[in-house]
Amino acid sequence: MSVLAATAAMLSLYLASGLACGGAGAGAPCQSHSECDDSYQCLAQVCSPKCTRNSDCGDGFQCNEAGVCNRVFANLGDPCGSEWDCEIGQSCVLEHGDSNDDQKLESSCQEQGEGGRVGSTCIADDDCRDSLCSLGHCSQLCRITDDCPDGNRCESIPRVLGVDDSAFFAGCIEDTSVLSTTIAMSESSGTLRIPVPSSAESFAIVAEVSDKIHLVGVTRVDSPSDFLLFRESDSFEGFLANPIRYARSKEVSTLIFPSNGVQEIEPGVYDVEIEASLPPFGPGTAVPKVSVHYKLRDSHILDLTFYFLNLEDHPCKESMGIDNLDKSSAKNSDVFQDEYLGEIHNIFGYANIVFPEEPEYVNLKRERPDLDGITDEQDLRDLFRLADNEDGLAIFFVRSLPSDGVQTLGTTIPGPPRTPGGPSSGIVVALDSLCYRSWTTLARITAHSMAGQMGLWNNRDPHGITDPIGDSDSSTGNLMYFGEFGGTELSEGQRRVLSLYPGLR
Amino acid sequence: MKWLPRILGAAMLAGAAGVGIATALEAPAGDPQVVELLSGLNYVPSQSNIDVVLGEGAVEDLIEIAEDSSIDSDPGLRIRAFRSLGQYDGNPQRATAASALRRAIADYGAESSGTKLLYLRASMLSLAAIDGGNAVSNLVTMLGHPSRDIRAACAQALGITGVAAAIQPLRARDLIEPEEQVRLAIADALFLLGSKG
């Protein structure tokens, strides 16, 4: 709200309240601050509450130490440090380059644009009123968080300058647990320069194509200090040697960094090569859609959405303690709530991850009878496309999985956070297991798959390959042990990887 | 939500201790390598993996595990053993494996619920994989099984056999099948059989 609009509202309130004579409180007409009560200032000739921050004053005004709004006078081209250093109709705009090479960008007052306000999605600077598009959202320059609109905070953010240069600036960024942005590519492969702000704990890069035949994903990642974090390898040894354990996959793949429990994120611009290809034939024709999800603060709530296919008359219903597992019975069943959900909660509690009091439950009884029992990988991918949860994890209950004896499946490690409706957007659990296992055991099975979706590899796989986390042993007591007869232990490094999952809120 | 306070308390205690509480399901008796081989959560071992662990006598060993109905036997291992036999197509021991799978279909074909239905389903799919058209006569009777999961698995298995003899029983069942899940499995099987000429 502008100062004039605010004071007009204040004045009308004052007149309506009958306080027009002799008052020096809110809405009283005034010529100077001294005519108003101590907690008020004279603003646009109306007594108004004193300010505590620039944004209380409106565009073109600054709040001084006495709580008084002062009009700012600036000429185009005057140097500025935040939006509040410039006049009405001006924006504090970053210089295009780091002219003095100090890794910090200078800025000056320029004419305000006509684009979106802070927080609006954008592709380029011109899309924003203050000529600053950062991390896919309009921003503005700031010195402190009070300089930013409500719901935003002031952060050190890297800015891409050309193909190999970058510098930092202080800008307003949404005060949220995860900030997501999409990046457009114009060809089937290319290098993206991905800025990672100082407050990011982790980030996920999700690459997708709209067909089922392209292999898509990241082929190389270099850190801001030019440390090679990942390079796609033709050999299995090369795959294991990468600091980030990751492999491209068909349709969608997700790379999360940090990924091994000891890596530290480095603010700055990461150079990321993305490719959609058609092996063994070579380059692909599809153009990847890339999204980046920044985990910006310590968040530890994992939303769960349970989807139930048609499980009526299941062969194991006599041993499962629930006649027909669905949305209603899951909500009201003690065994589901206590033995199953309770145990999952226990397991993730070790990583300080908690769940909302009420998970989401969704019946899919009639929609897709062809997916009641999963018979192949295509079924599995079609099943996960039914996930419509924006946050957290999607867990599907089906009658059976291929082959008999398989109890749970996901499609990629990790799965894509905040990407519903895709072929890897969930995990699936077969109800078959309840013919011969308890709900508590099924909880461990589910938790194993959930942790894979969040980025944990098996602590030891059937071939003896261990995970990339230094402090996780290869014992059967670990949650990520590949077999049924495993435990629920998590090492500190494993817990850290889970806590960095950008699907937490 | 009844479990929440209790669980939150447990989680906080665990967090303070810094480790998880090992509540591993007790592994069944037997060679740990074999138990590990047949206990994967999200895969059934390949024939080459099985042969590494079990050697030349793999089929006999798998049959022994699959048919072990003693009180100490583990259903999970048995199911995976039945399913693993389906990988021995083209192997000298294929006939032995097929005989064991036929026995299982005969033994469990009349069951209506529980783990034995899982043995039955695994056996049907494995038999179809290794015995092709010879399995049709053993399988078609299961198209009328009371469990829709068995009927759907039977349709799938008949599709796997890849022989024209499976088409007519599937079409006949399709006319009277009440469950959409099974009708779709029949349609998939007929498509598979049609595409194989």
Side-chain angles (χ1 to χ4, degrees):
Chain A
M1 185 185 288
S2 72
V3 169
L4 289 177
T7 50
M10 193 72 76
L11 184 57
S12 59
L13 178 69
Y14 169 78
L15 293 170
S17 65
L19 296 174
C21 50
C30 60
Q31 298 299 318
S32 68
H33 298 312
S34 60
E35 294 174 31
C36 301
D37 281 352
D38 286 348
S39 57
Y40 292 87
Q41 60 175 320
C42 187
L43 189 60
Q45 299 182 319
V46 175
C47 289
S48 306
K50 284 188 170 175
C51 58
T52 57
R53 46 187 275 183
N54 292 329
S55 57
D56 293 339
C57 300
D59 191 22
F61 287 77
Q62 281 186 344
C63 182
N64 68 16
E65 290 177 359
V68 171
C69 295
N70 288 328
R71 173 123 190 227
V72 173
F73 296 95
N75 295 312
L76 293 178
D78 283 356
C80 56
S82 89
E83 188 62 25
W84 304 100
D85 294 340
C86 299
E87 280 196 12
I88 295 173
Q90 296 176 351
S91 291
C92 187
V93 177
L94 283 175
E95 302 281 318
H96 291 298
D98 183 13
S99 52
N100 56 4
D101 212 22
D102 64 351
Q103 303 297 308
K104 290 182 181 174
L105 292 170
E106 306 299 319
S107 46
S108 62
C109 294
Q110 303 292 339
E111 277 189 33
Q112 199 167 58
E114 293 181 345
R117 292 172 176 267
V118 173
S120 310
T121 56
C122 56
I123 295 172
D125 289 340
D126 288 346
D127 297 335
C128 302
R129 188 184 68 166
D130 298 317
S131 304
L132 182 56
C133 181
S134 180
L135 310 178
H137 295 79
C138 291
S139 180
Q140 69 180 33
L141 298 180
C142 55
R143 291 190 180 87
I144 57 173
T145 290
D146 274 353
D147 288 343
C148 298
D150 287 345
N152 288 263
R153 59 186 177 188
C154 192
E155 287 275 340
S156 178
I157 305 170
R159 183 156 171 92
V160 174
L161 303 169
V163 292
D164 59 0
D165 201 7
S166 65
F168 283 85
F169 68 95
C172 297
I173 190 171
E174 188 182 352
D175 190 12
T176 181
S177 53
V178 176
L179 186 72
S180 299
T181 181
T182 56
I183 301 174
M185 288 184 69
S186 55
E187 297 178 352
S188 62
S189 65
T191 300
L192 300 180
R193 306 206 71 215
I194 296 180
V196 175
S198 57
S199 63
E201 295 186 341
S202 66
F203 63 89
I205 300 169
V206 180
E208 301 171 83
V209 289
S210 55
D211 66 65
K212 299 170 184 173
I213 54 173
H214 276 85
L215 198 61
V216 67
V218 174
T219 55
R220 182 182 174 111
V221 182
D222 289 284
S223 77
S225 54
D226 290 332
F227 183 76
L228 180 63
L229 292 171
F230 174 79
R231 180 170 55 198
E232 188 168 69
S233 171
D234 291 335
S235 72
F236 191 59
E237 291 73 20
F239 165 75
L240 295 177
N242 270 307
I244 300 175
R245 185 169 294 182
Y246 165 81
R248 287 190 296 156
S249 50
K250 288 183 179 174
E251 284 196 86
V252 61
S253 71
T254 305
L255 179 145
I256 297 179
F257 181 76
S259 66
N260 74 355
V262 295
Q263 292 161 339
E264 292 294 340
I265 197 165
E266 178 188 356
V269 176
Y270 288 70
D271 290 315
V272 179
E273 293 179 8
I274 307 265
E275 183 177 333
S277 60
L278 291 166
F281 307 111
T285 53
V287 177
K289 172 190 164 195
V290 179
S291 54
V292 184
H293 307 272
Y294 303 93
K295 186 170 186 289
L296 294 178
R297 66 179 178 212
D298 186 17
S299 47
H300 56 273
I301 298 173
L302 181 61
D303 291 307
L304 298 180
T305 305
F306 290 96
Y307 295 88
F308 302 99
L309 278 291
N310 188 342
L311 305 172
E312 289 171 3
D313 300 321
H314 192 274
C316 307
K317 70 177 181 181
E318 288 169 15
S319 53
M320 73 172 73
I322 302 173
D323 190 45
N324 175 29
L325 183 64
D326 62 8
K327 173 179 177 175
S328 172
S329 61
K331 270 185 179 177
N332 298 308
S333 157
D334 284 347
V335 289
F336 190 90
Q337 293 295 323
D338 292 346
E339 295 177 27
Y340 180 70
L341 266 184
E343 179 65 5
I344 291 175
H345 200 120
N346 274 339
I347 293 168
F348 281 90
Y350 305 148
N352 281 328
I353 291 170
V354 297
F355 304 105
E357 194 165 326
E358 274 288 346
E360 292 289 323
Y361 300 97
V362 180
N363 278 341
L364 294 171
K365 277 188 174 183
R366 305 285 170 236
E367 285 84 349
R368 294 296 298 269
D370 55 323
L371 301 177
D372 288 347
I374 302 298
T375 57
D376 56 26
E377 186 180 344
Q378 192 52 52
D379 276 359
L380 194 65
R381 289 172 172 264
D382 288 345
L383 180 75
F384 293 151
R385 289 182 215 282
L386 301 175
D388 57 4
N389 58 307
E390 290 291 336
D391 291 323
L393 296 182
I395 301 168
F396 290 85
F397 272 91
V398 297
R399 305 177 75 86
S400 58
L401 288 169
S403 301
D404 295 273
V406 170
Q407 298 170 309
T408 180
L409 286 172
T411 54
T412 59
I413 299 174
R418 296 166 192 273
T419 311
S424 301
S425 299
I427 62 156
V428 61
V429 178
L431 217 54
D432 279 350
S433 304
L434 289 170
C435 271
Y436 55 97
R437 301 284 183 241
S438 68
W439 278 102
T440 306
T441 300
L442 192 66
R444 189 257 169 186
I445 293 167
T446 308
H448 174 95
S449 234
M450 290 168 62
Q453 189 80 354
M454 295 170 73
L456 287 187
W457 294 78
N458 287 345
N459 68 322
R460 174 167 59 92
D461 79 359
H463 304 286
I465 307 298
T466 56
D467 68 20
I469 298 173
D471 69 347
S472 61
D473 61 26
S474 57
S475 77
T476 59
N478 195 280
L479 176 66
M480 299 315 293
Y481 173 66
F482 68 89
E484 277 205 90
F485 307 105
T488 57
E489 292 171 349
L490 289 166
S491 73
E492 187 176 338
Q494 287 176 309
R495 282 181 273 150
R496 179 162 183 265
V497 169
L498 291 177
S499 72
L500 292 176
Y501 179 61
L504 298 172
R505 65 171 174 87
Chain B
M1 184 60 52
K2 293 180 284 299
W3 52 266
L4 198 61
R6 176 175 72 81
I7 300 311
L8 280 175
M12 287 162 66
L13 284 174
V19 293
I21 301 166
T23 54
L25 184 67
E26 190 176 350
D31 183 341
Q33 266 194 299
V34 177
V35 171
E36 192 159 85
L37 178 75
L38 295 174
S39 63
L41 294 174
N42 51 17
Y43 75 104
V44 168
S46 65
Q47 184 187 341
S48 59
N49 288 343
I50 296 167
D51 290 344
V52 166
V53 175
L54 297 177
E56 287 184 0
V59 167
E60 286 82 359
D61 289 345
L62 287 172
I63 291 171
E64 188 178 338
I65 294 167
E67 294 186 338
D68 179 6
S69 57
S70 69
I71 195 162
D72 293 332
S73 65
D74 182 79
L77 266 55
R78 292 186 63 190
I79 292 166
R80 294 185 187 93
F82 277 121
R83 202 65 187 90
S84 296
L85 286 170
Q87 300 192 49
Y88 283 83
D89 186 22
N91 185 281
Q93 297 297 308
R94 183 189 61 79
T96 309
S99 294
L101 293 166
R102 284 196 173 82
R103 277 198 302 277
I105 293 169
D107 288 348
Y108 303 125
E111 299 290 339
S112 59
S113 66
T115 311
K116 289 174 181 174
L117 281 193
L118 307 186
Y119 303 149
L120 174 61
R121 191 174 60 197
S123 302
M124 290 192 307
L125 291 164
S126 286
L127 183 65
I130 64 171
D131 221 15
N134 295 330
V136 171
S137 61
N138 300 93
L139 294 172
V140 288
T141 55
M142 296 302 150
L143 279 175
H145 195 279
S147 163
R148 62 180 170 128
D149 295 280
I150 295 300
R151 297 198 301 277
C154 182
Q156 187 189 353
L158 286 168
I160 292 170
T161 64
V163 296
I167 293 175
Q168 182 50 38
L170 284 166
R171 283 184 177 153
R173 182 67 206 179
D174 195 32
L175 296 174
I176 55 171
E177 175 56 51
E179 291 289 346
E180 183 75 2
Q181 175 199 2
V182 183
R183 287 200 301 273
L184 288 164
I186 290 172
D188 282 348
L190 287 171
F191 179 79
L192 195 62
L193 292 167
S195 69
K196 287 185 176 178

